[in-house]
Amino acid sequence: MEHTNKENLLSKENIPSQQSTSSIETTPVADIDTDAPSRLWTKEFLILTACNLLVFLNLHMILSSLPLYMREHFNAGDFYVSLCTSLMALAAIVSRLFSARALELGKRNVILFGGLLIALLGTVGYYFSATIILLLVMRVIFGFGFGMYSTTFPTMVSDIIPRKRMGEGMGYFGLSTTISMSMGPLIGMSIEKQYGFTPLIIIGSIFILILFPLAYSLVKGQDKKIAAQKIVADQRKLATQAKAASEGIVVETTESPLPVTKASAFEKRLLLPSLLNFLMSLTYGGLVSFIALFGKEAHLANPGYFFLFNALAVIIVRPFSGKIYDSKGPKALIVPGAVMLIAGLLLLSFAHSTWGLFASAICYGLGWGALQPTMQTWMIQVVSPHQRGMANGMFLNSLDMGVALGAMILGTIAGITSYTSMYRFSALFIVLYIVVGIVYMVKAKTTPAQTQHSIHIKIK
């Protein structure tokens, strides 16, 4: 009878009877959802989305206004103006490299609040920068802090989104980034034109100060949730042990500590979506840097409205693209989204009226709105939960590097030819995007993530 009971238990647990020791996979604590598993619009999700909106709104309001401020107050040339953007981006990229590792090691609060404090010092420091060199130093300081907390917020939101709705959730969350990238330059340039650069420093500092209490409420709430999840995991483990003991089976459990105490190796599966995100961001670098100059060349009255209609298109497409990703994966969005980007860039190069500008902005926004959250969600899902900081860091670094290099490469092309030819050339980056995406759809294979817990059962 005892032997029969043991065999029945082994059959239920799918353990081969010929092996004396085996492993039962259990759900990692980080993946246990003690609430409704399909709920997306939680209080934490809304707060994190608002935080991300403030983060990037602050960035793009000041970024778009600094070049004019540097020319008017320091008589800065093109070289120093380009350093204003590139040094900040480089500092953010460097800081994300160690921030991702620190997040894996459970140093979330240090990275989050330390980054906010550093960025606040850099923002306030603009006001006291009497020389162009000191202003550039402040840009580096701000970029270092920005890289830290801009990695933390997406990692936190990816931990609370239900796994079955990850594409939809990251799409809505990423919408705050796109709106900030679209509306930030318009707001920043309008404020500087009417009131000067100092009000922008004040507004940017206020945004960062607001983030402190919001971030504190988030980390406090998530710490309580993790504690609750740990209790659930312990209860499941004890139930398994009790069941096995009642059948005369010795249960030995091994559990890796949470958070992980050793940073994991780099995940190679991040390279492909990072490359695609980089290629897409190259074109955005040409837009954000030269749309005003292109408008002058093409005799467009208000070229800045490109970003407004771009944002409207993103808002329209995000709910649909997220659900498509959740049901069919990234393969269903790569080619259609890329085609819309190409259409937007080509229409922009031929635009000589406001209606042409609007049409190009809508096409580009539909493509960007579908593909950007696709890249971020894809990168989050190919890694284990404790590597999400690494994934978000790679996503943001590929975005920043693409924008920075895109501005340099396309600016050089515009200097040789024209801004019209520059946008037609930038469409070639998306053609390469499609080629790489098609190769992925033919060859890519998904591998299962490793679990953090195992229960070993030995027969007496």
Side-chain angles (χ1 to χ4, degrees), residues 52 113 142 313 339 388 415 435:
N52 199 60
F113 292 106
F142 173 82
V339 169
R388 287 171 179 168
V435 173

Side-chain angles (χ1 to χ4, degrees), residues 22-28 237 240-241 251-256 451-457:
S22 60
S23 174
I24 300 176
E25 293 184 351
T26 61
T27 304
K237 181 179 67 176
T240 303
Q241 290 175 331
V251 179
E252 296 180 358
T253 63
T254 59
E255 181 177 326
S256 60
T451 57
Q452 290 179 298
H453 304 265
S454 61
I455 298 178
H456 299 285
I457 299 182

Side-chain angles (χ1 to χ4, degrees), residues 39-351:
R39 188 182 179 192
L40 174 62
W41 296 100
T42 61
K43 176 182 177 182
E44 292 80 6
F45 180 81
L46 292 173
I47 294 177
L48 279 166
T49 303
C51 288
N52 199 60
L53 178 68
L54 292 176
V55 165
F56 284 93
L57 191 60
N58 172 41
L59 171 69
H60 290 285
M61 282 173 54
I62 295 179
L63 179 62
S64 61
S65 306
L66 265 175
L68 180 60
Y69 173 76
M70 293 174 67
R71 287 187 185 277
E72 291 180 348
H73 288 76
F74 301 108
N75 196 27
D78 292 338
F79 174 73
Y80 284 103
V81 171
S82 64
L83 282 180
C84 178
T85 300
S86 59
L87 287 179
M88 179 266 167
L90 180 61
I93 290 171
V94 171
S95 70
R96 289 192 189 111
L97 295 178
F98 80 84
S99 296
R101 292 291 185 178
L103 288 173
E104 286 189 48
L105 299 176
K107 306 296 183 181
R108 178 198 60 194
N109 292 356
V110 175
I111 296 299
L112 177 55
F113 292 106
L116 288 173
L117 181 59
I118 293 172
L120 179 61
L121 293 175
T123 302
V124 174
Y126 297 148
Y127 181 80
F128 299 98
S129 299
T131 64
I132 191 171
I133 298 300
L134 187 56
L135 181 65
L136 292 175
V137 171
M138 292 301 108
R139 289 297 290 166
V140 172
I141 293 175
F142 173 82
F144 203 81
F146 173 80
M148 295 169 68
Y149 63 73
S150 66
T151 305
T152 308
F153 285 127
T155 303
M156 293 173 67
V157 81
S158 64
D159 288 336
I160 66 171
I161 295 175
R163 283 174 291 174
K164 292 183 179 180
R165 301 182 67 180
M166 186 65 73
E168 182 184 2
M170 292 306 299
Y172 283 119
F173 177 79
L175 185 60
S176 61
T177 301
T178 305
I179 291 176
S180 301
M181 295 173 70
S182 300
M183 302 305 297
L186 289 176
I187 297 173
M189 288 186 288
S190 298
I191 293 176
E192 184 185 26
K193 183 178 180 180
Q194 295 186 26
Y195 305 105
F197 189 70
T198 300
L200 279 177
I201 298 176
I202 296 174
I203 294 173
S205 300
I206 292 174
F207 283 172
I208 297 177
L209 287 173
I210 293 174
L211 288 171
F212 276 96
L214 291 177
Y216 177 76
S217 66
L218 288 169
V219 299
K220 186 178 180 180
Q222 284 201 350
D223 287 343
K224 289 182 179 180
K225 185 175 182 180
I226 290 174
Q229 290 173 341
K230 184 65 167 64
I231 293 174
V232 173
D234 290 341
Q235 290 174 345
R236 290 181 179 179
K237 181 179 67 176
L238 291 174
T240 303
Q241 290 175 331
K243 181 180 179 181
S246 66
E247 300 293 342
I249 298 175
V250 177
V251 179
E252 296 180 358
T253 63
T254 59
E255 181 177 326
S256 60
L258 290 174
V260 180
T261 57
K262 182 179 179 181
S264 58
F266 175 74
E267 178 56 68
K268 294 181 179 179
R269 286 178 293 180
L270 292 173
L271 291 176
L272 177 60
S274 294
L275 174 60
L276 293 176
N277 193 49
F278 170 76
L279 291 173
M280 185 172 64
S281 301
L282 287 170
T283 65
Y284 191 82
L287 288 171
V288 73
S289 301
F290 304 110
I291 189 71
L293 297 175
F294 166 76
K296 185 177 180 180
E297 178 182 273
H299 306 290
L300 297 174
N302 296 296
Y305 281 121
F306 177 92
F307 296 104
L308 175 61
F309 282 85
N310 177 76
L312 292 175
V314 169
I315 293 173
I316 292 172
V317 76
R318 279 290 166 88
F320 304 102
S321 63
K323 291 181 180 180
I324 293 173
Y325 180 96
D326 288 331
S327 61
K328 299 182 179 181
K331 298 178 182 179
L333 294 166
I334 288 177
V335 174
V339 169
M340 294 307 297
L341 289 178
I342 293 175
L345 292 169
L346 292 180
L347 285 173
L348 180 62
S349 70
F350 288 103

Side-chain angles (χ1 to χ4, degrees), residues 342-400:
I342 293 175
L345 292 169
L346 292 180
L347 285 173
L348 180 62
S349 70
F350 288 103
H352 294 287
S353 66
T354 302
W355 289 107
L357 184 73
F358 291 170
S360 65
I362 290 173
C363 289
Y364 190 88
L366 292 174
W368 183 272
L371 291 179
Q372 190 191 42
T374 294
M375 297 301 105
Q376 187 172 19
T377 308
W378 183 4
M379 295 173 74
I380 290 172
Q381 290 190 325
V382 299
V383 299
S384 57
H386 73 277
Q387 291 179 306
R388 287 171 179 168
M390 177 195 300
N392 283 305
M394 285 284 290
F395 169 79
L396 293 170
N397 280 347
S398 59
L399 173 64
D400 285 346

Side-chain angles (χ1 to χ4, degrees), residues 2-31:
E2 181 179 353
H3 178 70
T4 302
N5 291 337
K6 292 177 183 177
E7 287 183 347
N8 290 337
L9 180 59
L10 289 170
S11 177
K12 292 178 182 179
E13 301 292 350
N14 296 322
I15 301 175
S17 59
Q18 66 269 23
Q19 295 181 357
S20 60
T21 304
S22 60
S23 174
I24 300 176
E25 293 184 351
T26 61
T27 304
V29 174
D31 282 353

